[in-house]
Amino acid sequence: MNSTGSHTMQVNPARPLRLLLASVLAVLAVVLAACGGGGTVPPTGVDIRPLSAEFTQRKAVAYSPFRSNNRDTEDITDAMVREDLALLAQGRFTLLRVFDSSDKVAARLLRIIRDDKLDFKVMLGAYIFTEKATILTPTQVEANKAFNQAEVDRAVRLANDYKDIVLAVSVGNETLVSWSGSAIASTPTVVAGYIKYVRDRVTQPLTSDDNWAFYAKKSSEPNDPKLVIDAVDFVSMHTYPLLDTVPPAVPNWDWQQQDVPESERAVAMMDAAIEAAKSEYAAVRAHLDSLGQQAKPIIIGETGWKAEPVGNTANRAHPVNQKMYIDRLNAWSAQAKAAGTSPVSIVYFEAFDEPWKGDPGDPLGAEKHWGLFFVDRSAKLVMRR
């Protein structure tokens, strides 16, 4: 889900000379790897930078500090962030995914973690807006390009200034899936270009967060993920079985469980939900493998379950069901780690409820009530021991 809203960068189609140079560099990379250069070189794409053990072993959660109906006008303070970090530490969520590289959130968070010597690591984001001329005026296109360039420059600076805390960088959030909002809808060429720009300037592994349907090249998806898959060190896919049941989506799993006794339907539904998430992961894994990218790891960059039955989720969203989904995620993660397979990490969405998400005036909006904690920072059932 989306949690946000210099020089001009323009990514042009590769010319024949660039293609020749890319081929030469690919051959040289294979030779260097054979001579002990390090990394894993797939048939196409980058020399993969491995995710650290700290990244894969820590419990991960998506974090934003906003508490009001208007994130743009809300003042975020150090005290607010420190309160949040104390709660997340109690829950042992010590890998935080943030969506941008803003001074307001990301820079503040990293400074507090370092200054207070806190045991947290961060998956840093770079938020990218659309550059499509079919959506914007020429002036708006240039303004968005300027913002995007400034944002990736901020990401580079923070990743380098806080190398001991930032374990990975994600460029773009749900910008390429077919239902991406017009404000951020992008193209694989643009996103891959920004990934390369950042990757050339930092040492951490790079990814781009997007829905599983994009990365699996589902038939409904117009964007081919190959350029992005080749550009990243690992894939960060999103899976939301709950939202797959909400119109206009066509359910791809049986949430109603009518063949099960009514007293057992909730448990059966949550068992089916986690199997749906596993199926979406398997579709992404299969597509990567078909591209010769068997060595490229996958994380679940976002998944979760609403605790309140709003946004057309009656009989599905519930505090108990949220807890059952998290329990099943934890079991899946433990099994994958024991077997040494993907997903190598699962990022739960999200730490705290955010009233501004979706329509701030609609308390029943589909993007609300996903947090482990209520907006007042009291714990939901899933966090109670």
Side-chain angles (χ1 to χ4, degrees):
M1 292 188 186
N2 283 297
S3 275
T4 356
S6 136
H7 303 74
T8 299
M9 178 179 184
Q10 185 173 358
V11 183
N12 295 317
R15 296 193 171 104
L17 181 59
R18 292 180 183 173
L19 291 175
L20 176 61
L21 178 58
S23 299
V24 172
L25 290 174
V27 172
L28 286 174
V30 172
V31 172
L32 287 172
C35 295
T40 302
V41 182
T44 57
V46 297
D47 185 356
I48 296 174
R49 298 173 183 171
L51 289 165
S52 70
E54 283 202 282
F55 188 101
T56 59
Q57 291 170 5
R58 290 171 178 260
K59 285 176 63 177
V61 68
Y63 172 66
S64 291
F66 301 105
R67 308 183 184 197
S68 74
N69 286 333
N70 191 331
R71 66 174 300 282
D72 294 327
T73 59
E74 183 175 0
D75 290 327
I76 302 300
T77 67
D78 288 6
M80 291 165 65
V81 174
R82 286 188 169 101
E83 179 187 14
D84 291 348
L85 293 179
L87 290 169
L88 293 174
Q90 289 177 24
R92 299 179 183 175
F93 286 94
T94 59
L95 175 59
L96 308 181
R97 180 188 163 216
V98 293
F99 294 83
D100 64 22
S101 289
S102 65
D103 292 340
K104 189 173 187 176
V105 176
R108 182 187 305 274
L109 173 69
L110 290 165
R111 172 178 53 78
I112 290 171
I113 291 172
R114 174 173 288 177
D115 288 352
D116 293 4
K117 297 180 174 58
L118 301 176
D119 182 26
F120 285 93
K121 302 297 181 183
V122 170
M123 179 177 170
L124 184 66
Y127 204 80
I128 302 300
F129 284 98
T130 186
E131 297 180 6
K132 287 188 174 183
T134 55
I135 297 175
L136 306 175
T137 67
T139 299
Q140 290 171 326
V141 169
E142 292 308 310
N144 277 9
K145 286 182 177 180
F147 174 90
N148 291 345
Q149 185 61 45
E151 174 74 350
V152 294
D153 284 338
R154 284 190 293 269
V156 168
R157 184 178 70 253
L158 291 175
N160 287 322
D161 287 350
Y162 295 92
K163 282 186 179 182
D164 56 329
I165 300 172
V166 176
L167 300 184
V169 181
S170 179
V171 178
N173 184 65
E174 294 180 346
T175 61
L176 297 169
V177 68
S178 57
W179 45 257
S180 180
S182 61
I184 60 171
S186 193
T187 67
T189 301
V190 169
V191 174
Y194 283 127
I195 292 169
K196 183 180 186 306
Y197 179 89
V198 175
R199 196 174 187 279
D200 286 347
R201 291 161 175 80
V202 303
T203 59
Q204 293 92 336
L206 267 288
T207 193
S208 183
D209 272 80
D210 222 308
N211 186 262
W212 75 273
F214 164 72
Y215 274 122
K217 190 61 180 79
K218 189 181 175 185
S219 59
S220 61
E221 295 304 305
N223 286 323
D224 190 330
K226 187 176 186 305
L227 276 178
V228 173
I229 290 171
D230 285 350
V232 300
D233 297 289
F234 66 102
V235 163
S236 185
M237 58 161 277
H238 300 180
T239 172
Y240 284 101
L242 175 58
L243 293 183
D244 291 341
T245 70
V246 178
V250 178
N252 57 2
W253 63 282
D254 177 17
W255 68 268
Q256 294 180 323
Q257 299 292 310
Q258 293 294 323
D259 295 335
V260 176
E262 187 173 354
S263 62
E264 301 172 13
R265 282 179 192 164
V267 171
M269 176 177 66
M270 301 318 299
D271 287 341
I274 201 68
E275 291 306 315
K278 290 179 179 180
S279 176
E280 291 175 353
Y281 158 77
V284 175
R285 180 74 271 166
H287 188 63
L288 264 64
D289 293 352
S290 75
L291 297 175
Q293 298 278 12
Q294 293 90 343
K296 190 153 291 187
I298 300 172
I299 75 164
I300 306 298
E302 280 187 30
T303 192
W305 202 270
K306 291 167 69 76
E308 301 296 328
V310 297
N312 200 13
T313 58
N315 301 315
R316 284 152 286 168
H318 190 278
V320 174
N321 293 348
Q322 183 186 48
K323 184 179 187 310
M324 284 196 286
Y325 188 70
I326 289 289
D327 289 345
R328 283 154 178 76
L329 283 177
N330 291 338
W332 182 20
S333 179
Q335 291 166 3
K337 289 175 181 176
T341 60
S342 289
V344 297
S345 182
I346 297 177
V347 182
Y348 185 76
F349 185 86
E350 62 180 330
F352 302 96
D353 283 348
E354 296 182 80
W356 72 270
K357 293 186 70 65
D359 179 358
D362 179 12
L364 305 181
E367 292 201 13
K368 303 181 191 300
H369 306 293
W370 294 84
L372 300 170
F373 295 85
F374 293 101
V375 68
D376 67 1
R377 273 43 189 172
S378 60
K380 295 186 181 178
L381 175 66
V382 66
M383 294 301 294
R384 297 176 192 166
R385 297 177 181 176

